[in-house]
mmCIF file with all atom_site columns, all heavy atoms in Angstrom:
data_model
loop_
_atom_site.group_PDB
_atom_site.id
_atom_site.type_symbol
_atom_site.label_atom_id
_atom_site.label_alt_id
_atom_site.label_comp_id
_atom_site.label_asym_id
_atom_site.label_entity_id
_atom_site.label_seq_id
_atom_site.pdbx_PDB_ins_code
_atom_site.Cartn_x
_atom_site.Cartn_y
_atom_site.Cartn_z
_atom_site.occupancy
_atom_site.B_iso_or_equiv
_atom_site.pdbx_formal_charge
_atom_site.auth_seq_id
_atom_site.auth_comp_id
_atom_site.auth_asym_id
_atom_site.auth_atom_id
_atom_site.pdbx_PDB_model_num
ATOM 1  N N   . ALA A 1 7  ? 264.357 -127.434 -3.554  1.00 0.00 ? 22  ALA A N   1
ATOM 2  C CA  . ALA A 1 7  ? 263.865 -128.181 -4.689  1.00 0.00 ? 22  ALA A CA  1
ATOM 3  C C   . ALA A 1 7  ? 264.712 -129.350 -5.052  1.00 0.00 ? 22  ALA A C   1
ATOM 4  O O   . ALA A 1 7  ? 264.179 -130.424 -5.295  1.00 0.00 ? 22  ALA A O   1
ATOM 5  C CB  . ALA A 1 7  ? 263.689 -127.264 -5.932  1.00 0.00 ? 22  ALA A CB  1
ATOM 6  N N   . GLY A 1 9  ? 266.613 -131.000 -2.926  1.00 0.00 ? 24  GLY A N   1
ATOM 7  C CA  . GLY A 1 9  ? 266.387 -132.023 -1.877  1.00 0.00 ? 24  GLY A CA  1
ATOM 8  C C   . GLY A 1 9  ? 265.036 -132.677 -2.004  1.00 0.00 ? 24  GLY A C   1
ATOM 9  O O   . GLY A 1 9  ? 264.979 -133.979 -1.869  1.00 0.00 ? 24  GLY A O   1
ATOM 10 N N   . ALA A 1 44 ? 268.726 -128.093 3.671   1.00 0.00 ? 59  ALA A N   1
ATOM 11 C CA  . ALA A 1 44 ? 269.423 -127.385 4.773   1.00 0.00 ? 59  ALA A CA  1
ATOM 12 C C   . ALA A 1 44 ? 270.935 -127.298 4.612   1.00 0.00 ? 59  ALA A C   1
ATOM 13 O O   . ALA A 1 44 ? 271.623 -126.713 5.455   1.00 0.00 ? 59  ALA A O   1
ATOM 14 C CB  . ALA A 1 44 ? 269.163 -128.078 6.139   1.00 0.00 ? 59  ALA A CB  1
ATOM 15 N N   . ILE A 1 55 ? 275.155 -138.764 -5.763  1.00 0.00 ? 70  ILE A N   1
ATOM 16 C CA  . ILE A 1 55 ? 273.705 -138.916 -5.427  1.00 0.00 ? 70  ILE A CA  1
ATOM 17 C C   . ILE A 1 55 ? 273.041 -139.293 -6.794  1.00 0.00 ? 70  ILE A C   1
ATOM 18 O O   . ILE A 1 55 ? 272.163 -140.205 -6.778  1.00 0.00 ? 70  ILE A O   1
ATOM 19 C CB  . ILE A 1 55 ? 273.154 -137.774 -4.724  1.00 0.00 ? 70  ILE A CB  1
ATOM 20 C CG1 . ILE A 1 55 ? 273.755 -137.683 -3.310  1.00 0.00 ? 70  ILE A CG1 1
ATOM 21 C CG2 . ILE A 1 55 ? 271.574 -137.861 -4.709  1.00 0.00 ? 70  ILE A CG2 1
ATOM 22 C CD1 . ILE A 1 55 ? 273.325 -136.468 -2.552  1.00 0.00 ? 70  ILE A CD1 1
ATOM 23 N N   . ASP A 1 88 ? 250.959 -144.512 -16.418 1.00 0.00 ? 103 ASP A N   1
ATOM 24 C CA  . ASP A 1 88 ? 249.943 -145.492 -15.963 1.00 0.00 ? 103 ASP A CA  1
ATOM 25 C C   . ASP A 1 88 ? 248.561 -144.929 -15.901 1.00 0.00 ? 103 ASP A C   1
ATOM 26 O O   . ASP A 1 88 ? 247.717 -145.535 -15.306 1.00 0.00 ? 103 ASP A O   1
ATOM 27 C CB  . ASP A 1 88 ? 250.364 -146.069 -14.550 1.00 0.00 ? 103 ASP A CB  1
ATOM 28 C CG  . ASP A 1 88 ? 250.434 -144.995 -13.534 1.00 0.00 ? 103 ASP A CG  1
ATOM 29 O OD1 . ASP A 1 88 ? 250.360 -143.759 -13.815 1.00 0.00 ? 103 ASP A OD1 1
ATOM 30 O OD2 . ASP A 1 88 ? 250.496 -145.310 -12.275 1.00 0.00 ? 103 ASP A OD2 1
#
Side-chain angles (χ1 to χ4, degrees):
I70 290 172
D103 64 345

